[in-house]
Amino acid sequence: MPEPTQRRLVLLRHASAEGRLSGMDDGDRRLSAQGRGELVITARHLQRLGIAPERVIVSGARRALETLDKLSMLFEVETRPIVEEALYLAPPATVLSLIQQLGSDARDLVVIGHNPGLTSLARSLAGPDPDPSALAGLSQGLAPGAFAYFETALEDWSDLRPGGGRLVACAAP
C-alpha cells in the first residue's frame, strides 16, 4: 500500500459580488470593486502560505470564475481548473465528493465556491489539533474572499473524511 502523502487543501469563498439586477440570474453576478480589493489581501495570505495548487475546482458562477482569474497569477504552477457546475451553492457533502473524485491527481488543491457549503465543510474537516486562531476565524464563517487552509496526510483525496484535516489557517480580507 502506498505511503500517505502530505496534501494541502484550501476552501476559498468567492470574493464580494455586485448586487443582483432585476431579471439577472444569480450565477451571472460579477465581482464588485470591493471584491477585487478583497482578493489583493487574500492573495497576500495565500502567498505567505506558499499555496501553489496543481488543481483548482471552481464553481461555474461568474463571481467564482473571476475570483480564480484574479488569483491565478499568484499560483507558481500552471493550474488546470475544473469548472464544476455542481459546486454552485453546493451542500458540504457535494463539495467533499467533488474533492474525493480527484483521487491522487494533485497534492495541493484549491476549491473556489460558495457559502454555506464551504463553511460547513471546513468546520467538518477540522480534525484534531487545529490552529487556535484559525479555529476562531472559522467560527465566524467564511466571509467573501476568505479561506480555510488544511494539511492532511492521505494516499489520495478519496480518503478525505470529516475530521481528517488539520486546520492550519483561516483568513479573511
Side-chain angles (χ1 to χ4, degrees):
M1 185 159 132
E3 285 291 313
T5 300
Q6 183 70 19
R7 296 184 187 277
R8 303 184 318 163
L9 171 65
V10 173
L11 299 178
L12 171 66
R13 183 176 175 196
H14 64 79
S16 292
E18 294 176 341
R20 189 168 153 185
L21 301 174
S22 178
M24 174 188 263
D25 184 70
D26 183 61
D28 292 332
R29 291 171 45 218
R30 303 178 59 108
L31 289 181
S32 65
Q34 175 183 337
R36 289 187 295 280
E38 291 164 354
L39 291 175
V40 171
I41 298 165
T42 298
R44 286 186 197 129
H45 287 303
L46 292 172
Q47 284 176 318
R48 276 189 226 113
L49 293 169
I51 301 300
E54 289 108 358
R55 294 298 282 217
V56 175
I57 303 174
V58 60
S59 162
R62 186 174 192 163
R63 59 194 178 271
L65 292 167
E66 288 180 354
T67 295
L68 171 60
D69 184 55
K70 298 292 182 200
L71 291 177
S72 64
M73 65 187 121
L74 76 94
F75 300 149
E76 294 176 7
V77 296
E78 186 172 331
T79 59
R80 298 176 291 157
I82 300 168
V83 178
E84 184 56 67
E85 297 300 330
L87 193 53
Y88 178 70
L89 302 179
T94 300
V95 181
L96 180 59
S97 176
L98 292 168
I99 294 168
Q100 291 169 330
Q101 290 173 27
L102 284 179
S104 61
D105 186 39
R107 187 178 77 81
D108 292 352
L109 170 66
V110 172
V111 178
I112 303 173
H114 310 269
N115 263 352
L118 283 186
T119 292
S120 295
L121 178 60
R123 288 176 176 154
S124 77
L125 289 177
D129 194 31
D131 177 271
S133 63
L135 192 59
L138 187 55
S139 72
Q140 303 299 312
L142 294 175
F147 65 88
Y149 165 57
F150 297 88
E151 292 178 347
T152 186
L154 300 170
E155 183 177 326
D156 66 46
W157 289 110
S158 66
D159 298 328
L160 184 62
R161 301 283 182 270
R166 180 176 182 278
L167 179 63
V168 176
C170 184

Short mmCIF file of all heavy atoms in Angstrom, two decimals, residues 76-124:
data_model
loop_
_atom_site.label_atom_id
_atom_site.label_comp_id
_atom_site.label_asym_id
_atom_site.label_seq_id
_atom_site.Cartn_x
_atom_site.Cartn_y
_atom_site.Cartn_z
N GLU A 76 2.23 29.45 -8.63
CA GLU A 76 3.52 29.25 -9.28
C GLU A 76 3.49 28.19 -10.37
O GLU A 76 4.32 28.21 -11.26
CB GLU A 76 4.58 28.89 -8.23
CG GLU A 76 4.84 30.05 -7.28
CD GLU A 76 5.82 29.69 -6.18
OE1 GLU A 76 6.39 28.59 -6.22
OE2 GLU A 76 6.00 30.52 -5.30
N VAL A 77 2.60 27.24 -10.26
CA VAL A 77 2.48 26.22 -11.29
C VAL A 77 1.24 26.52 -12.12
O VAL A 77 0.31 27.17 -11.66
CB VAL A 77 2.39 24.80 -10.69
CG1 VAL A 77 3.66 24.45 -9.97
CG2 VAL A 77 1.20 24.67 -9.77
N GLU A 78 1.24 26.07 -13.34
CA GLU A 78 0.06 26.27 -14.18
C GLU A 78 -1.04 25.36 -13.68
O GLU A 78 -0.89 24.15 -13.62
CB GLU A 78 0.38 25.96 -15.64
CG GLU A 78 -0.76 26.30 -16.55
CD GLU A 78 -0.40 26.17 -18.01
OE1 GLU A 78 0.78 26.35 -18.34
OE2 GLU A 78 -1.30 25.89 -18.80
N THR A 79 -2.13 25.96 -13.28
CA THR A 79 -3.24 25.18 -12.75
C THR A 79 -4.11 24.68 -13.88
O THR A 79 -4.20 25.30 -14.93
CB THR A 79 -4.09 26.01 -11.78
OG1 THR A 79 -4.59 27.14 -12.48
CG2 THR A 79 -3.30 26.45 -10.58
N ARG A 80 -4.72 23.57 -13.63
CA ARG A 80 -5.68 23.01 -14.58
C ARG A 80 -7.05 23.08 -13.90
O ARG A 80 -7.45 22.15 -13.22
CB ARG A 80 -5.31 21.57 -14.92
CG ARG A 80 -3.95 21.47 -15.60
CD ARG A 80 -3.57 20.04 -15.85
NE ARG A 80 -3.30 19.39 -14.55
CZ ARG A 80 -3.37 18.08 -14.36
NH1 ARG A 80 -3.69 17.26 -15.32
NH2 ARG A 80 -3.11 17.56 -13.17
N PRO A 81 -7.75 24.20 -14.04
CA PRO A 81 -9.01 24.33 -13.32
C PRO A 81 -10.08 23.38 -13.85
O PRO A 81 -10.15 23.10 -15.04
CB PRO A 81 -9.41 25.79 -13.53
CG PRO A 81 -8.67 26.22 -14.74
CD PRO A 81 -7.43 25.39 -14.82
N ILE A 82 -10.88 22.92 -12.91
CA ILE A 82 -12.05 22.13 -13.23
C ILE A 82 -13.24 23.02 -12.92
O ILE A 82 -13.48 23.36 -11.75
CB ILE A 82 -12.13 20.85 -12.37
CG1 ILE A 82 -10.89 19.97 -12.60
CG2 ILE A 82 -13.41 20.08 -12.66
CD1 ILE A 82 -10.75 18.85 -11.59
N VAL A 83 -13.96 23.44 -13.95
CA VAL A 83 -15.16 24.24 -13.74
C VAL A 83 -16.29 23.26 -13.47
O VAL A 83 -16.63 22.43 -14.32
CB VAL A 83 -15.47 25.14 -14.96
CG1 VAL A 83 -16.76 25.92 -14.73
CG2 VAL A 83 -14.30 26.07 -15.24
N GLU A 84 -16.82 23.34 -12.27
CA GLU A 84 -17.80 22.36 -11.81
C GLU A 84 -19.11 23.05 -11.47
O GLU A 84 -19.23 23.73 -10.45
CB GLU A 84 -17.23 21.62 -10.60
CG GLU A 84 -18.09 20.52 -10.08
CD GLU A 84 -18.43 19.48 -11.13
OE1 GLU A 84 -17.52 18.77 -11.59
OE2 GLU A 84 -19.63 19.39 -11.50
N GLU A 85 -20.09 22.87 -12.34
CA GLU A 85 -21.40 23.50 -12.12
C GLU A 85 -22.06 23.00 -10.83
O GLU A 85 -22.77 23.75 -10.18
CB GLU A 85 -22.33 23.25 -13.32
CG GLU A 85 -21.83 23.86 -14.63
CD GLU A 85 -21.67 25.36 -14.61
OE1 GLU A 85 -22.40 26.05 -13.86
OE2 GLU A 85 -20.78 25.86 -15.34
N ALA A 86 -21.79 21.76 -10.45
CA ALA A 86 -22.39 21.20 -9.23
C ALA A 86 -21.89 21.89 -7.97
O ALA A 86 -22.48 21.75 -6.90
CB ALA A 86 -22.10 19.70 -9.14
N LEU A 87 -20.82 22.65 -8.07
CA LEU A 87 -20.27 23.37 -6.92
C LEU A 87 -21.07 24.62 -6.58
O LEU A 87 -21.00 25.13 -5.47
CB LEU A 87 -18.81 23.73 -7.21
CG LEU A 87 -17.94 24.21 -6.07
CD1 LEU A 87 -17.95 23.25 -4.90
CD2 LEU A 87 -16.52 24.40 -6.57
N TYR A 88 -21.88 25.11 -7.53
CA TYR A 88 -22.68 26.31 -7.31
C TYR A 88 -23.67 26.07 -6.18
O TYR A 88 -24.56 25.23 -6.29
CB TYR A 88 -23.40 26.70 -8.60
CG TYR A 88 -24.28 27.91 -8.46
CD1 TYR A 88 -23.73 29.17 -8.27
CD2 TYR A 88 -25.65 27.79 -8.49
CE1 TYR A 88 -24.53 30.29 -8.13
CE2 TYR A 88 -26.47 28.90 -8.35
CZ TYR A 88 -25.91 30.14 -8.17
OH TYR A 88 -26.70 31.24 -8.02
N LEU A 89 -23.48 26.79 -5.06
CA LEU A 89 -24.34 26.70 -3.87
C LEU A 89 -24.48 25.27 -3.35
O LEU A 89 -25.50 24.89 -2.78
CB LEU A 89 -25.71 27.31 -4.15
CG LEU A 89 -25.71 28.78 -4.58
CD1 LEU A 89 -27.13 29.26 -4.85
CD2 LEU A 89 -25.03 29.67 -3.55
N ALA A 90 -23.42 24.46 -3.53
CA ALA A 90 -23.46 23.03 -3.17
C ALA A 90 -23.43 22.83 -1.66
O ALA A 90 -22.76 23.57 -0.93
CB ALA A 90 -22.26 22.33 -3.80
N PRO A 91 -24.12 21.79 -1.19
CA PRO A 91 -24.02 21.42 0.22
C PRO A 91 -22.64 20.79 0.48
O PRO A 91 -21.96 20.36 -0.46
CB PRO A 91 -25.15 20.40 0.41
CG PRO A 91 -25.39 19.84 -0.94
CD PRO A 91 -25.07 20.93 -1.92
N PRO A 92 -22.24 20.70 1.74
CA PRO A 92 -20.90 20.20 2.06
C PRO A 92 -20.63 18.79 1.51
O PRO A 92 -19.51 18.51 1.07
CB PRO A 92 -20.84 20.21 3.58
CG PRO A 92 -22.13 20.72 4.07
CD PRO A 92 -22.98 21.12 2.92
N ALA A 93 -21.62 17.91 1.52
CA ALA A 93 -21.40 16.55 1.02
C ALA A 93 -21.04 16.55 -0.46
O ALA A 93 -20.20 15.75 -0.90
CB ALA A 93 -22.64 15.69 1.27
N THR A 94 -21.64 17.43 -1.23
CA THR A 94 -21.32 17.53 -2.66
C THR A 94 -19.91 18.05 -2.87
O THR A 94 -19.16 17.52 -3.69
CB THR A 94 -22.34 18.44 -3.37
OG1 THR A 94 -23.65 17.87 -3.22
CG2 THR A 94 -22.02 18.58 -4.85
N VAL A 95 -19.52 19.06 -2.11
CA VAL A 95 -18.17 19.61 -2.22
C VAL A 95 -17.15 18.53 -1.86
O VAL A 95 -16.17 18.32 -2.58
CB VAL A 95 -17.98 20.86 -1.33
CG1 VAL A 95 -16.57 21.42 -1.50
CG2 VAL A 95 -19.02 21.92 -1.66
N LEU A 96 -17.38 17.82 -0.78
CA LEU A 96 -16.48 16.75 -0.36
C LEU A 96 -16.38 15.68 -1.45
O LEU A 96 -15.28 15.22 -1.78
CB LEU A 96 -16.93 16.14 0.96
CG LEU A 96 -16.07 14.99 1.50
CD1 LEU A 96 -14.63 15.43 1.72
CD2 LEU A 96 -16.68 14.44 2.79
N SER A 97 -17.50 15.30 -2.02
CA SER A 97 -17.50 14.29 -3.09
C SER A 97 -16.68 14.74 -4.30
O SER A 97 -15.94 13.95 -4.89
CB SER A 97 -18.94 13.99 -3.51
OG SER A 97 -18.96 13.09 -4.59
N LEU A 98 -16.78 16.01 -4.67
CA LEU A 98 -16.01 16.53 -5.80
C LEU A 98 -14.51 16.47 -5.51
O LEU A 98 -13.71 16.16 -6.39
CB LEU A 98 -16.43 17.97 -6.11
CG LEU A 98 -17.83 18.13 -6.68
CD1 LEU A 98 -18.25 19.59 -6.69
CD2 LEU A 98 -17.92 17.53 -8.07
N ILE A 99 -14.13 16.73 -4.26
CA ILE A 99 -12.73 16.64 -3.87
C ILE A 99 -12.27 15.18 -3.93
O ILE A 99 -11.22 14.86 -4.48
CB ILE A 99 -12.52 17.23 -2.46
CG1 ILE A 99 -12.78 18.73 -2.46
CG2 ILE A 99 -11.12 16.90 -1.93
CD1 ILE A 99 -12.89 19.35 -1.07
N GLN A 100 -13.07 14.30 -3.38
CA GLN A 100 -12.72 12.88 -3.33
C GLN A 100 -12.53 12.27 -4.72
O GLN A 100 -11.73 11.37 -4.90
CB GLN A 100 -13.78 12.10 -2.55
CG GLN A 100 -13.78 12.42 -1.07
CD GLN A 100 -14.99 11.84 -0.35
OE1 GLN A 100 -16.06 11.69 -0.93
NE2 GLN A 100 -14.81 11.55 0.93
N GLN A 101 -13.25 12.79 -5.70
CA GLN A 101 -13.16 12.26 -7.06
C GLN A 101 -11.81 12.52 -7.71
O GLN A 101 -11.48 11.89 -8.72
CB GLN A 101 -14.28 12.84 -7.93
CG GLN A 101 -15.66 12.34 -7.55
CD GLN A 101 -16.76 13.06 -8.29
OE1 GLN A 101 -16.56 13.56 -9.39
NE2 GLN A 101 -17.93 13.12 -7.69
N LEU A 102 -11.01 13.42 -7.17
CA LEU A 102 -9.70 13.71 -7.74
C LEU A 102 -8.72 12.57 -7.57
O LEU A 102 -7.72 12.50 -8.28
CB LEU A 102 -9.10 14.98 -7.13
CG LEU A 102 -9.68 16.28 -7.61
CD1 LEU A 102 -8.99 17.43 -6.90
CD2 LEU A 102 -9.54 16.44 -9.11
N GLY A 103 -8.96 11.69 -6.62
CA GLY A 103 -8.01 10.61 -6.38
C GLY A 103 -6.66 11.16 -6.00
O GLY A 103 -6.53 12.04 -5.16
N SER A 104 -5.61 10.69 -6.65
CA SER A 104 -4.25 11.14 -6.33
C SER A 104 -3.76 12.20 -7.31
O SER A 104 -2.57 12.49 -7.38
CB SER A 104 -3.29 9.95 -6.33
OG SER A 104 -3.26 9.36 -7.61
N ASP A 105 -4.67 12.80 -8.05
CA ASP A 105 -4.32 13.72 -9.14
C ASP A 105 -3.49 14.92 -8.73
O ASP A 105 -2.70 15.41 -9.51
CB ASP A 105 -5.61 14.20 -9.83
CG ASP A 105 -5.33 15.03 -11.06
OD1 ASP A 105 -4.39 14.70 -11.80
OD2 ASP A 105 -6.03 16.02 -11.28
N ALA A 106 -3.62 15.42 -7.52
CA ALA A 106 -2.92 16.63 -7.12
C ALA A 106 -2.57 16.59 -5.64
O ALA A 106 -3.36 16.10 -4.84
CB ALA A 106 -3.77 17.86 -7.42
N ARG A 107 -1.42 17.13 -5.31
CA ARG A 107 -1.03 17.22 -3.90
C ARG A 107 -1.67 18.45 -3.26
O ARG A 107 -2.13 18.41 -2.14
CB ARG A 107 0.50 17.31 -3.80
CG ARG A 107 1.01 17.24 -2.38
CD ARG A 107 2.52 17.29 -2.31
NE ARG A 107 3.04 18.63 -2.50
CZ ARG A 107 3.10 19.56 -1.56
NH1 ARG A 107 2.67 19.30 -0.35
NH2 ARG A 107 3.59 20.75 -1.82
N ASP A 108 -1.69 19.56 -3.99
CA ASP A 108 -2.26 20.81 -3.49
C ASP A 108 -3.50 21.18 -4.30
O ASP A 108 -3.45 21.19 -5.53
CB ASP A 108 -1.25 21.95 -3.58
CG ASP A 108 -0.08 21.78 -2.63
OD1 ASP A 108 -0.11 20.87 -1.79
OD2 ASP A 108 0.87 22.57 -2.72
N LEU A 109 -4.57 21.49 -3.60
CA LEU A 109 -5.87 21.73 -4.23
C LEU A 109 -6.51 22.97 -3.65
O LEU A 109 -6.48 23.18 -2.43
CB LEU A 109 -6.77 20.51 -3.98
CG LEU A 109 -8.24 20.63 -4.34
CD1 LEU A 109 -8.44 20.79 -5.84
CD2 LEU A 109 -8.99 19.40 -3.83
N VAL A 110 -7.11 23.79 -4.52
CA VAL A 110 -7.92 24.93 -4.10
C VAL A 110 -9.33 24.71 -4.65
O VAL A 110 -9.50 24.36 -5.81
CB VAL A 110 -7.36 26.27 -4.63
CG1 VAL A 110 -8.32 27.42 -4.35
CG2 VAL A 110 -6.00 26.56 -4.01
N VAL A 111 -10.32 24.90 -3.79
CA VAL A 111 -11.72 24.82 -4.18
C VAL A 111 -12.31 26.22 -3.99
O VAL A 111 -12.25 26.78 -2.89
CB VAL A 111 -12.51 23.80 -3.33
CG1 VAL A 111 -13.98 23.79 -3.73
CG2 VAL A 111 -11.90 22.41 -3.46
N ILE A 112 -12.87 26.78 -5.06
CA ILE A 112 -13.48 28.12 -5.00
C ILE A 112 -14.97 27.96 -5.19
O ILE A 112 -15.43 27.52 -6.24
CB ILE A 112 -12.89 29.06 -6.08
CG1 ILE A 112 -11.38 29.17 -5.93
CG2 ILE A 112 -13.57 30.43 -6.00
CD1 ILE A 112 -10.70 29.93 -7.05
N GLY A 113 -15.72 28.30 -4.14
CA GLY A 113 -17.15 28.09 -4.19
C GLY A 113 -17.91 29.08 -3.34
O GLY A 113 -17.53 30.26 -3.23
N HIS A 114 -18.96 28.58 -2.71
CA HIS A 114 -19.98 29.43 -2.08
C HIS A 114 -20.30 28.95 -0.67
O HIS A 114 -20.09 27.80 -0.32
CB HIS A 114 -21.27 29.38 -2.92
CG HIS A 114 -21.04 29.63 -4.37
ND1 HIS A 114 -21.10 30.89 -4.93
CD2 HIS A 114 -20.72 28.78 -5.39
CE1 HIS A 114 -20.84 30.81 -6.22
NE2 HIS A 114 -20.60 29.54 -6.52
N ASN A 115 -20.88 29.86 0.09
CA ASN A 115 -21.45 29.52 1.39
C ASN A 115 -22.92 29.19 1.20
O ASN A 115 -23.50 29.60 0.19
CB ASN A 115 -21.31 30.71 2.35
CG ASN A 115 -20.09 30.56 3.22
OD1 ASN A 115 -19.44 29.52 3.23
ND2 ASN A 115 -19.79 31.60 3.96
N PRO A 116 -23.51 28.43 2.08
CA PRO A 116 -22.97 27.96 3.35
C PRO A 116 -22.16 26.65 3.24
O PRO A 116 -21.54 26.22 4.20
CB PRO A 116 -24.20 27.75 4.21
CG PRO A 116 -25.27 27.36 3.24
CD PRO A 116 -24.97 28.15 1.97
N GLY A 117 -22.14 26.03 2.06
CA GLY A 117 -21.49 24.73 1.91
C GLY A 117 -20.02 24.71 2.26
O GLY A 117 -19.54 23.78 2.92
N LEU A 118 -19.26 25.74 1.82
CA LEU A 118 -17.82 25.74 2.11
C LEU A 118 -17.54 25.87 3.60
O LEU A 118 -16.68 25.17 4.13
CB LEU A 118 -17.11 26.85 1.34
CG LEU A 118 -16.85 26.61 -0.14
CD1 LEU A 118 -16.01 27.75 -0.72
CD2 LEU A 118 -16.19 25.28 -0.41
N THR A 119 -18.24 26.77 4.27
CA THR A 119 -18.02 26.92 5.71
C THR A 119 -18.38 25.64 6.44
O THR A 119 -17.63 25.18 7.32
CB THR A 119 -18.83 28.11 6.27
OG1 THR A 119 -18.30 29.33 5.74
CG2 THR A 119 -18.76 28.17 7.80
N SER A 120 -19.50 25.04 6.09
CA SER A 120 -19.91 23.79 6.75
C SER A 120 -18.89 22.68 6.53
O SER A 120 -18.55 21.95 7.46
CB SER A 120 -21.29 23.34 6.23
OG SER A 120 -22.27 24.26 6.59
N LEU A 121 -18.38 22.56 5.31
CA LEU A 121 -17.38 21.54 5.04
C LEU A 121 -16.10 21.84 5.82
O LEU A 121 -15.50 20.93 6.42
CB LEU A 121 -17.08 21.43 3.55
CG LEU A 121 -15.99 20.41 3.19
CD1 LEU A 121 -16.39 19.00 3.64
CD2 LEU A 121 -15.70 20.44 1.70
N ALA A 122 -15.67 23.08 5.83
CA ALA A 122 -14.46 23.44 6.55
C ALA A 122 -14.58 23.07 8.03
O ALA A 122 -13.66 22.50 8.62
CB ALA A 122 -14.15 24.93 6.39
N ARG A 123 -15.70 23.37 8.61
CA ARG A 123 -15.91 23.03 10.03
C ARG A 123 -15.87 21.53 10.25
O ARG A 123 -15.34 21.05 11.24
CB ARG A 123 -17.23 23.62 10.52
CG ARG A 123 -17.18 25.13 10.68
CD ARG A 123 -18.51 25.71 11.07
NE ARG A 123 -18.42 27.15 11.29
CZ ARG A 123 -19.43 27.97 11.15
NH1 ARG A 123 -20.65 27.52 10.83
NH2 ARG A 123 -19.26 29.27 11.36
N SER A 124 -16.44 20.77 9.32
CA SER A 124 -16.46 19.32 9.50
C SER A 124 -15.10 18.67 9.26
O SER A 124 -14.79 17.64 9.84
CB SER A 124 -17.52 18.67 8.59
OG SER A 124 -17.08 18.58 7.26
#
